[in-house]
Amino acid sequence: MNLFSEEKQHFILPNAELIYVPEFFNSQESDNYYRIIKDETNWQHDDITVFGKTYKQPRLTALFGETNQTYSYSNITMHPEAFTKDLLNIKSKVEKFSDETFNTLLINLYRDGSDSNGWHADNEKELGKNPIIASVSFGEERPFHFKHRTIKDERHKIILEHGSLLLMKGEMQHYWLHQIAKTKRHIQPRINLTFRRLVQV
């Protein structure tokens, strides 16, 4: 089920609240940020361990932060770099719109359709209770699938477009899973900026 039309949407689901803005950044801004981030980021290609098996993560990543606090998931520990001027500009606009503050940014580069992110939740202890995640997309659009952990009929999809913003709020990271699935279609790269707030644990 695709919940969203072409205009800004605010949707409340069981244990979750989402806001999707298709053209949060205009076409020129989006093209410029896509090029700068893709070319100037020090991308990592880490090993990931899932269900006891270790393999190369099917995407590239980078971490930026206001402090030196590390971020860990799936047996990967990332050390942040300082925010660049462009990333700070993006963060400022996201914070103004969302009325939230973020101190950490995890960026994913999906190089083609074989790069993906399997079913998961952003529920690490460092994110605290009911974290708010702000997701900005540049480049190729990709479907964002999400499903409730226990309510089987609650399965949805949003097409994350070039320059769009998705806010995930409420209890979503505890009650829902989400993914970016593989596709056999020949597609261009996508960059996904996920702003979050790390807390001391």
Side-chain angles (χ1 to χ4, degrees), residues 18 48 57 59 61 63 71-74 78 102 104-108 110 117-136 144-147 149 160 166-180 190 192-199:
L18 297 96
I48 188 170
Q57 193 167 210
R59 61 190 177 279
T61 60
L63 186 72
Y71 180 58
S72 300
Y73 65 95
S74 301
M78 300 188 70
F102 303 101
T104 301
L105 168 63
L106 176 64
I107 307 183
N108 295 292
Y110 298 88
N117 199 343
W119 288 112
H120 71 285
D122 298 319
N123 58 358
E124 291 78 21
K125 290 182 179 179
E126 299 99 313
L127 297 176
K129 183 178 180 180
N130 299 332
I132 295 173
I133 308 294
S135 173
V136 174
F144 174 84
H145 296 92
F146 54 109
K147 63 181 180 179
R149 290 178 183 268
L160 299 179
L166 174 68
L167 289 177
M168 294 180 280
K169 307 176 71 174
E171 300 173 304
M172 182 167 180
Q173 303 307 324
H174 299 293
Y175 287 93
W176 293 74
L177 300 172
H178 56 272
Q179 72 163 354
I180 300 293
R190 168 181 178 255
N192 175 224
L193 289 71
T194 57
F195 292 94
R196 50 197 74 203
R197 183 163 190 83
L198 296 191
V199 297

Side-chain angles (χ1 to χ4, degrees), residues 150-168:
T150 58
I151 305 174
K152 300 305 179 184
D153 292 337
E154 290 289 350
R155 298 176 65 101
H156 306 288
K157 177 179 72 173
I158 307 170
I159 303 300
L160 299 179
E161 300 166 289
H162 184 44
S164 67
L165 169 67
L166 174 68
L167 289 177
M168 294 180 280

Side-chain angles (χ1 to χ4, degrees), residues 6-165:
E6 293 302 311
E7 299 179 355
K8 171 188 170 183
Q9 293 286 331
H10 183 188
F11 210 88
I12 297 177
L13 296 168
N15 311 112
E17 179 183 0
L18 297 96
I19 297 173
Y20 178 63
V21 187
E23 296 179 356
F24 189 70
F25 293 96
N26 66 38
S27 179
Q28 182 177 352
E29 290 175 320
S30 299
D31 291 347
N32 189 47
Y33 283 137
Y34 172 83
R35 177 184 55 79
I36 291 172
I37 296 170
K38 186 173 184 292
D39 292 345
E40 297 183 3
T41 299
N42 295 319
W43 298 106
Q44 297 178 210
H45 196 194
D46 294 300
D47 291 330
I48 188 170
T49 301
V50 179
F51 300 122
K53 294 185 177 181
T54 300
Y55 54 94
K56 282 294 182 185
Q57 193 167 210
R59 61 190 177 279
L60 305 184
T61 60
L63 186 72
F64 296 85
E66 293 180 350
T67 70
N68 291 325
Q69 186 175 355
T70 60
Y71 180 58
S72 300
Y73 65 95
S74 301
N75 293 319
I76 295 173
T77 297
M78 300 188 70
H79 299 268
E81 296 185 32
F83 278 100
T84 66
K85 179 181 177 180
D86 290 293
L87 294 178
L88 285 174
N89 288 339
I90 297 171
K91 184 168 88 78
S92 177
K93 185 173 180 180
V94 170
E95 289 178 333
K96 184 177 180 179
F97 174 84
S98 64
D99 197 26
E100 300 290 338
T101 57
F102 303 101
N103 59 11
T104 301
L105 168 63
L106 176 64
I107 307 183
N108 295 292
L109 171 59
Y110 298 88
R111 297 161 292 181
D112 53 34
S114 64
D115 274 0
S116 62
N117 199 343
W119 288 112
H120 71 285
D122 298 319
N123 58 358
E124 291 78 21
K125 290 182 179 179
E126 299 99 313
L127 297 176
K129 183 178 180 180
N130 299 332
I132 295 173
I133 308 294
S135 173
V136 174
S137 296
F138 297 122
E140 183 74 58
E141 63 181 35
R142 296 285 293 264
F144 174 84
H145 296 92
F146 54 109
K147 63 181 180 179
H148 199 280
R149 290 178 183 268
T150 58
I151 305 174
K152 300 305 179 184
D153 292 337
E154 290 289 350
R155 298 176 65 101
H156 306 288
K157 177 179 72 173
I158 307 170
I159 303 300
L160 299 179
E161 300 166 289
H162 184 44
S164 67
L165 169 67

